[in-house]
Amino acid sequence: MPLRWFLAFITAWLAGCASAPPPPAPLAPGLLHDTAFVPPAAPIDAGQVFALTDAMRTTLEQPAIDTLKSSDPRRRLLHQLFGERAMGLDYDAAFTRTAREAFEAQRGNCLSLMVMTAAFAKASGIPVKFRQVKINEAWSRSNGFYFASGHVNLGLGWALSSVHKAAGENQMIVDFLPDAAVRDMPVRVITEATVLAMFMNNRAAESLARGRVDDAYWFAREALRQDPTFIAAYNTLGVVYSQHGRPGWAEAVYQAVLAREPGNTHALANLVLALRADGRRDEAAVVQARLTALEPHPPFHFLQLGQQAMQRQDWQAALDLFRKELARQADNPELHFWLAQASYRLGNLREADRHMELARSNSATPQDAALYNAKLGWLRANTLHQ
């Protein structure tokens, strides 16, 4: 496997919810270049992100399940969506779906499922509150891009009845991460505009990973239109410019980010690449030194060193390095895949099987899960014949 990855750091979001977009906000001054990009393949309409279809409204109108005794409309709604007799929703991070798309496909990533839940809640008259959870970023790689994922969840207010108001009932938190992963983590309330910016930024990152640079520009642009203060969307815009062969435009974006957040390691890493692409190696080295001081071991650092050790057939060194990365990214399926390979080379077939199973179970898409499942089947078949 080649180790020359294009280190474009993009921030995506694992979960989020919102309603109708706010009035249009001013676009980022001086950083947008509309005329350089082909119009999007399909109209980008933030108003459709949380829109309900007739089929979705019919779901809301279905009578309550007899076995559900609670009079709390929040519990009834969640039981309708995710209970025993509810639609069978599957996790799929292939792309970020609107509420309608998640409902029709009966699958989505955490953001898509939270968007759908929020759309149903608001249509039911249940107040919602959007909360950013400050957890460690989760990293993934796709087609040479590095993606950092943050996390937000949804708070459902008490039911609109005098009983629940009098009881002063707390918000009900809806979160698709395990409770242990987010319990006691600091949170901050965010606006609908910010959540819509997160959604559009996800779409921009996904377009980049598919090589659709023009579409990525318009999604990043819409993210900034929704919330001009959303820093992650500026970073994505800079990556768009780099992929479009405009390192000078990318540099301007990253410098704007760093003027506000001097320690933003994503912007620093991408600025290094933009300066190198512009032939300014000495300046890039200065920025790299600044980045290294802030982040001596960037994401996937030990994984890459382990891959190099695998190429040298130093299986034990590779295993030790992969375990160092595991301490930082316990659920990363790519990392478990490499741990399985190193364990297999060392003859530890039980550990190889365990890590391959973890690679499969932690996969973000059905396609990845099927690939790892096939590799797991091969491993077990070959193990049986040894």
Side-chain angles (χ1 to χ4, degrees):
M1 173 178 288
L3 298 175
R4 297 185 297 275
W5 289 79
F6 181 82
L7 302 180
F9 288 83
I10 306 172
T11 304
W13 294 86
L14 290 174
C17 328
S19 59
L27 297 176
L31 297 177
L32 297 173
H33 301 280
D34 292 0
T35 58
F37 295 89
V38 176
I44 297 174
D45 183 0
Q48 293 300 308
V49 172
F50 305 95
L52 267 65
T53 63
D54 290 342
M56 296 169 76
R57 295 186 184 281
T58 299
T59 297
L60 282 178
E61 294 167 1
Q62 292 175 353
I65 299 172
D66 294 339
T67 57
L68 186 60
K69 302 299 184 182
S70 174
S71 62
D72 187 339
R74 301 170 304 176
R75 297 187 184 280
R76 290 202 302 271
L77 174 64
L78 295 178
H79 199 276
Q80 278 183 300
L81 296 179
F82 310 112
E84 294 176 0
R85 293 171 54 186
M87 51 191 285
L89 291 168
D90 295 323
Y91 184 82
D92 180 5
F95 73 99
T96 304
R97 293 173 167 87
T98 65
R100 174 186 64 80
E101 291 167 340
F103 179 83
E104 292 177 351
Q106 297 191 20
R107 64 176 62 243
N109 60 15
C110 288
L111 177 55
S112 303
L113 299 180
M114 294 297 287
V115 161
M116 188 192 72
T117 304
F120 275 112
K122 292 179 76 67
S124 301
I126 300 172
V128 299
K129 185 168 289 187
F130 317 117
R131 303 156 22 110
Q132 182 177 347
V133 184
K134 297 182 179 180
I135 63 176
N136 291 333
E137 292 173 326
W139 287 90
S140 60
R141 308 193 294 187
S142 177
N143 294 336
F145 294 95
Y146 284 26
F147 297 90
S149 297
H151 187 60
V152 298
N153 60 24
L154 175 66
L156 299 181
W158 52 79
L160 300 182
S161 70
S162 58
V163 173
H164 290 93
K165 286 180 180 178
E169 188 173 353
N170 292 330
Q171 283 191 340
M172 179 184 293
I173 305 303
V174 180
D175 200 308
F176 289 91
L177 284 182
D179 180 61
V182 296
R183 187 188 301 126
D184 300 327
M185 291 292 182
V187 300
R188 71 179 181 92
V189 175
I190 56 176
T191 66
E192 294 180 358
T194 299
V195 175
L196 280 170
M198 291 175 176
F199 183 96
M200 294 298 168
N201 188 61
N202 270 25
R203 284 286 181 93
E206 291 156 3
S207 296
L208 278 170
R210 292 175 171 83
R212 294 161 54 182
V213 178
D214 291 286
D215 285 353
Y217 172 81
W218 296 105
F219 280 119
R221 182 187 189 277
E222 181 62 16
L224 292 173
R225 192 184 77 86
Q226 294 298 324
D227 183 357
T229 69
F230 185 51
I231 292 296
Y234 288 94
N235 189 62
T236 304
L237 179 67
V239 177
V240 170
Y241 289 152
S242 289
Q243 291 293 286
H244 199 254
R246 308 278 189 166
W249 293 356
E251 179 191 358
V253 174
Y254 301 138
Q255 294 289 12
V257 171
L258 293 169
R260 178 172 172 178
E261 296 184 359
N264 190 307
T265 55
H266 299 182
L268 285 168
N270 286 327
L271 178 57
V272 170
L273 297 171
L275 291 171
R276 288 174 180 169
D278 209 25
R280 296 152 64 187
R281 295 277 173 178
D282 292 342
E283 293 176 65
V286 172
V287 177
Q288 180 63 61
R290 179 177 164 192
L291 173 62
T292 301
L294 291 170
E295 189 179 56
H297 304 302
F300 298 106
H301 174 75
F302 297 112
L303 175 57
Q304 289 182 326
L305 292 179
Q307 289 173 320
Q308 293 170 4
M310 290 288 285
Q311 290 179 342
R312 300 192 305 270
Q313 299 186 11
D314 189 346
W315 317 126
Q316 185 60 53
L319 185 69
D320 293 341
L321 288 161
F322 294 151
R323 284 174 174 167
K324 282 189 176 182
E325 194 70 47
L326 184 67
R328 308 194 298 177
Q329 302 192 63
D331 298 325
N332 185 283
E334 182 186 7
L335 177 57
H336 283 291
F337 171 71
W338 282 100
L339 276 161
Q341 290 194 71
S343 298
Y344 182 81
R345 293 289 189 174
L346 288 167
N348 192 338
L349 304 182
R350 180 174 296 179
E351 276 296 285
D353 184 277
R354 185 175 73 87
H355 283 296
M356 195 65 80
E357 174 62 35
L358 286 168
R360 184 198 63 77
S361 62
N362 285 302
S363 295
T365 68
Q367 294 80 11
D368 287 348
L371 177 62
Y372 287 128
N373 194 53
K375 293 179 182 294
L376 178 61
W378 179 92
L379 177 64
R380 289 176 174 171
N382 280 268
T383 299
L384 290 174
H385 288 90
Q386 289 187 11

